[in-house]
Structures are given as structure tokens and as C-alpha cells.
Amino acid sequence: MVDYKLLPAQQQFLEYGDHDSEIDVSLYQGGFGSGKTFSGSLLGIILALKYPGIRGLVGAQTFTLVRDTTLVSYFEHLENMGLEEGIDYNYLKSENKLVFSNKSEILFRHLEEPEKLKSLNLGFVELEEMSDVPRSTFDMLLGRLRQAKKSDWVNFKYRIFGHTNPQE
């Protein structure tokens, strides 16, 4: 396993908030090169490995953004962690989905047509360039955090998290 040296802001982003809510909402906002996508994709993998059978969604307004930034970061983490495709996970390109050996799944989608995501039951949602996501889409995704919890998911909270550059 890789030993990452995280910035304090990255470490805080990865941890649950201190509240009683069943859903944890967090945002990592920072300048270019501050590790936003790095942190978000690391969190997605941590959740997929920690909670067997969890289903996550990684989205951005365009699939090009998901493919060229976030998905690349996921593959970099998986390689750094020593996971090999076909053994610990598979990337199903035709479905734009990572499937882990513990039955966790991470879907990679664009958010241009949010109505096509309304039937999903999710354990977590990650939003790339969260400030570009319309409030109505965010609210709809918040409502998708309803995957049935499994008995071995200790201290589980639904999570919706995103990252973005500062807004001018």
C-alpha cells in the first residue's frame, strides 16, 4: 500500500464531519495543483474498499472532464496501491465503471442529462468541478444517496463530496 503525505486540508476532507446527520457533505476548494481531484479520487477508492458492495457515482458536467481528469486520477491511485486490473478491480469501459473484487462499483458519468440518473441507489457521490453543477442536479443526487446499508458497514455515512477551484 502506498503511504501518501497529505496536506492538513486533504486529511480533513477525507474524514467524516463531526455531526449526527446520516449524510456527510464536503467540498474541497483550492487553487490549481492543490490536490483536489487527487483527494476526491482517493476518497472514492477508500470508500469502495472499506464498504464492500458500495455503489458510488463520480460525475461532472461533461464526460470529457470526468475521463480526462478524475478517471486518470483513479487509475493513478490504483496503480500506486499495487492493485492490478482483473485481480482487485476491472474497468468496464463500455459501462464507464470500476468494479472491485469486493463487489463495490464506481460509475463515471456526465451530468448534462441528470434525469438519466434518477433511478440510481448510491452510497456516495463525487462531483468534479462542483461549482459547475446546478443546484437542482445536486439536490437530485443527494436524493440518490439511499443504497441499502450492509450489516458490516461499520460507522457508515452516505457521502456527497466535491472539489472545485475558487470562484471569482
Side-chain angles (χ1 to χ4, degrees):
M1 208 62 140
V2 67
D3 183 26
Y4 287 127
K5 303 294 184 216
L6 301 174
L7 300 170
Q10 291 172 316
Q11 185 65 42
Q12 183 180 8
F13 176 74
L14 294 175
E15 296 171 356
Y16 287 128
D18 185 19
H19 54 76
D20 292 331
S21 176
E22 287 190 20
I23 298 176
D24 188 72
V25 179
S26 55
L27 170 67
Y28 191 141
Q29 185 175 23
F32 296 104
S34 64
K36 299 177 301 292
T37 300
F38 170 94
S39 299
S41 54
L42 179 59
L43 180 53
I45 291 171
I46 289 169
L47 294 171
L49 296 176
K50 183 175 182 179
Y51 300 109
I54 197 171
R55 183 178 232 201
L57 170 75
V58 176
Q61 277 306 102
T62 67
F63 188 73
T64 302
L65 182 59
V66 172
R67 182 194 65 216
D68 295 349
T69 59
T70 318
L71 187 56
V72 169
S73 186
Y74 270 85
F75 286 137
E76 288 171 354
H77 284 306
L78 292 166
E79 183 178 324
N80 290 339
M81 292 176 175
L83 300 180
E84 296 181 35
E85 185 166 4
I87 297 172
D88 296 296
Y89 76 93
N90 281 309
Y91 178 64
L92 306 178
K93 188 173 183 175
S94 63
E95 298 178 46
N96 297 311
K97 174 170 68 171
L98 280 173
V99 179
F100 293 82
S101 59
N102 69 357
K103 298 188 170 50
S104 292
E105 299 180 339
I106 303 176
L107 311 172
F108 296 86
R109 300 290 187 265
H110 68 80
L111 303 175
E112 294 171 310
E113 300 171 284
E115 63 278 356
K116 291 186 176 181
L117 306 172
K118 286 185 176 181
S119 63
L120 296 176
N121 294 322
L122 303 168
F124 73 88
V125 173
E126 175 185 358
L127 298 170
E128 178 74 41
E129 288 303 331
M130 192 172 183
S131 62
D132 293 341
V133 176
R135 177 64 190 248
S136 60
T137 301
F138 177 85
D139 290 342
M140 182 275 298
L141 290 170
L142 198 59
R144 302 297 95 209
L145 293 173
R146 60 183 189 182
Q147 180 180 7
K149 297 178 188 178
K150 301 195 185 299
S151 60
D152 60 344
W153 290 4
V154 179
N155 298 322
F156 175 78
K157 287 187 183 214
Y158 295 104
R159 296 196 71 176
I160 187 165
F161 54 95
H163 26 92
T164 192
N165 292 306
Q167 300 304 299
E168 298 177 19

